[in-house]
Amino acid sequence: MAEAEEERKLKVFISYSRKDEDFAQELLAGLNLVGFEPYLDKHDIAAGEDWEARLGRLIEAADTVVFVISPDAVGSERCAWEVERTIALRKRLLPIVWRRVDEAQVPPRLKQLNYIFFDRPLMSVPALMGLAGALRTDLEWIREHTRIGETALRWDARGRAEALLLRGDELATAKAWLASQPKYAPEPTLLHHELIKAAEDAETARISSDQRRLDQVRAALEREQAAHGESEKALARERAALRRGQHTLAVAAGLFACVVVGAIGWYNQAYLREQYHWRMAMEPTVSTAAEEVEKASKHGAGFRECAKGCPMMIVIPAGSFLMGSPEIEQDRNADEGPQHEVTIPKAFAVSKFEVTFAEWDACVEAGACPQASDRGWGRDDRPAIFVSWSDANVYAAWLSRMTGSEYRLLSEAEWEYAARAGHQMRFPFGDDPVLLGEYAWHGDRDGKTQPVGRKTANAFGLHDMHGNVWEWVVDCWNEGYAGKPDALKRSGGAWASGDCSRRVVRGGSWNNEPKNVRSADRNRVSLGLTINDLGIRLARTLGP
C-alpha cells in the first residue's frame, strides 16, 4: 500500500540559481512534507560533462517544473535553458518569486504566467499551500503527459519500433487522455500525437490481420462441411442447377446490367454534384492558354479561378537562392545543412494565404473533401486545420480537376524560396526577431489559429509564411540535405525518397518560438496525422 501511494506522487523539478540553493533546499523539504516528489540538481556539473543532456533528462522525468525567480536566476544562461527546454517539452511551468526582480528582466515566457510569492514576511506556509494547490490541479492528466511523453521519447530514440507502441487498454487510455485535455494544461507535443497515431494504425492493421485469419478459418470449415455433404443431395442440386441454368443465366445478365447502370448512375451523381457546385456556387473564371502565358510574366500579380471559394494565387518569379542555413546561424539545427544553391527555373504561383476553412469547405460541399474540425476556434478566414497530407492532396486534386490547371503542394525548395522572398537572413526581414510579431502569429502557447492576412506580407506578397500553422510540403523526410540529388538542386523539385512515411512541414505555428519560425527551420510529421497547428498552402504550375 505504501509503495502504491509513493507511485502516485507528482514529480516536481526545481529550477534555481546556485545562489538560491538554501531556499531551494527548504522548498524541497516543504514539498516533500506536503506529499510531492521534488528533486533538483544539487551539485555543479562536472568538467567535460554534457550538462544539457543531464538537465534535459531531469526535466523529461518531471510532471511539473517550478522555476525560482530571483535576480541571479533570470540572469543565468542555464536557468534560461531550463525554461526553454520545459516549454519545448510542453511541461507545466510554475514560477515562484523568492527575490524580486524588475519585470523587464523576467523572461517573456514567465511573464505570461501567474506567480506565487515566497518573498513576503510570514508568507512561507500560505505560499507553500498555494503552490501545493496549483501542483494538484489536474494531477492525473499532468502525470499521464509525463508518462506518455517518456514512452514517446523511448519509441523515437529506438527507431520508432512497432514493439514499443501502446496496445489495447494502454492505447485506449492514451486516446482518452488526449481527448480530455483540461483548460490551461500544457499542450501534448507533436511526438505525443505521432506515438498515439502510430499505435492506432498498428492496432487497426492487427485487427484487420486477425479478421483475415478468422475469415480464412471460417471459409476452410465451410468448405470441409460442404465436402462431407451427402452425395445424393449434391447430385440433386447439380441436376436442379442444370434445369435452372438457362433461366439463371438470363437473370444474372439482367442483374449485371442493373449493377452497371446503378454504378454509372452513382458515378454521374457524384460527378454532377461536383460540377453543379463548381459552376453554380463557385462561378469559375478559368484562363485560356494565352492568358496563362500572360499570367506567368506578371510577377507579384494575383488571380483566382473562381469568384467564390478558390484561393488567391500570387505569381512568383523564377530565380536561385541558397537553401538551408549557414553553420553560424543562431538556433540552427543540423538537418538544415549543408547549405546549397537551388534554382527555380520557371515562374509558378503560390497561394497568397494558407488555405482557409471557407476554401476547404467549398470542396466539402462539392462532395470531394472530408470534413475538418476547427476545434471551436472558428472557420471562414482561419486556416484549415486537422487535415492530413493525404487530405491536402485530395484538395489540390479537386481544384486541378475543376480548373484544368495543376494545383499541388509546394516542394520544400519552392516553399523556402517563396518564404525567403529574396532574403538570406533568419527571417524575411532580417536576423533580429524583434520585428517577427509584425509578420507572424507565434509564441502563444495558450492561443489558437488566427484569421489569415492580418500580418505583414513578405516581399513576394505572401502572408503567414511564418507562424499561424505549419504547412505541408510534398517532400519525404531526410535528415539534412547531404544526399540530395543534383537534379533537384537544378529544378527545385520535391525529394521523393527517404522516410516517406513522414513528410516535411515548414513555417512554424502559433505556438512556436522564433527559432522554429525561421526561414530554414524544418520539421517532419507522419502522413496521416491531423493536428491543430498544421495546415495547407498550395502551388499552381503556370503555362499552357
Side-chain angles (χ1 to χ4, degrees), residues 325 329-337 515-516 518 521-522:
S325 61
E329 181 166 306
Q330 184 179 350
D331 297 321
R332 179 185 193 264
N333 297 308
D335 59 33
E336 297 167 19
K515 64 183 179 181
N516 299 121
R518 293 175 299 112
D521 188 73
R522 52 201 301 268

Side-chain angles (χ1 to χ4, degrees), residues 69-85:
I69 292 178
S70 73
D72 296 297
V74 299
S76 165
E77 177 186 345
R78 188 170 298 167
C79 289
W81 184 90
E82 290 174 2
V83 169
E84 288 302 317
R85 184 60 179 161

Side-chain angles (χ1 to χ4, degrees), residues 190 194 388-390 393 409 412 471-478 494-506 522-528 534:
L190 180 60
E194 290 186 329
S388 69
W389 187 84
S390 299
N393 281 280
L409 296 178
E412 187 177 11
E471 298 170 7
W472 287 111
V473 298
V474 181
D475 300 52
C476 302
W477 175 253
N478 287 276
W495 197 351
S497 61
D499 181 0
C500 293
S501 68
R502 296 184 289 175
R503 300 292 170 139
V504 179
V505 295
R506 299 295 299 260
R522 52 201 301 268
N523 208 333
R524 73 278 192 195
V525 176
S526 295
L527 279 174
L534 175 56

Side-chain angles (χ1 to χ4, degrees), residues 361-394:
D361 289 342
C363 182
V364 175
E365 290 169 20
C369 290
Q371 290 281 356
S373 169
D374 61 9
R375 203 178 186 182
W377 294 347
R379 302 182 81 81
D380 299 328
D381 58 353
R382 290 181 187 270
I385 53 176
F386 291 108
V387 289
S388 69
W389 187 84
S390 299
D391 294 337
N393 281 280
V394 166

Side-chain angles (χ1 to χ4, degrees), residues 350-354 409-410 463-465 471 536-538:
V350 176
S351 54
K352 182 174 184 177
F353 312 110
E354 291 155 336
L409 296 178
L410 283 75
H463 292 261
D464 302 312
M465 290 296 290
E471 298 170 7
I536 313 170
R537 188 180 297 269
L538 289 184

Side-chain angles (χ1 to χ4, degrees), residues 165 171 195-206 526 528-529:
L165 289 173
L171 174 58
L195 171 71
I196 293 171
K197 181 64 170 62
E200 285 182 308
D201 291 345
E203 191 92 341
T204 300
R206 283 195 295 273
S526 295
L529 191 64

Side-chain angles (χ1 to χ4, degrees), residues 212-232:
R212 284 195 298 273
R213 286 196 294 271
L214 182 61
D215 290 344
Q216 290 168 357
V217 171
R218 185 182 292 114
L221 287 172
E222 289 173 354
R223 287 194 297 270
E224 189 174 338
Q225 289 172 353
H228 287 81
E230 297 178 12
S231 59
E232 290 184 2

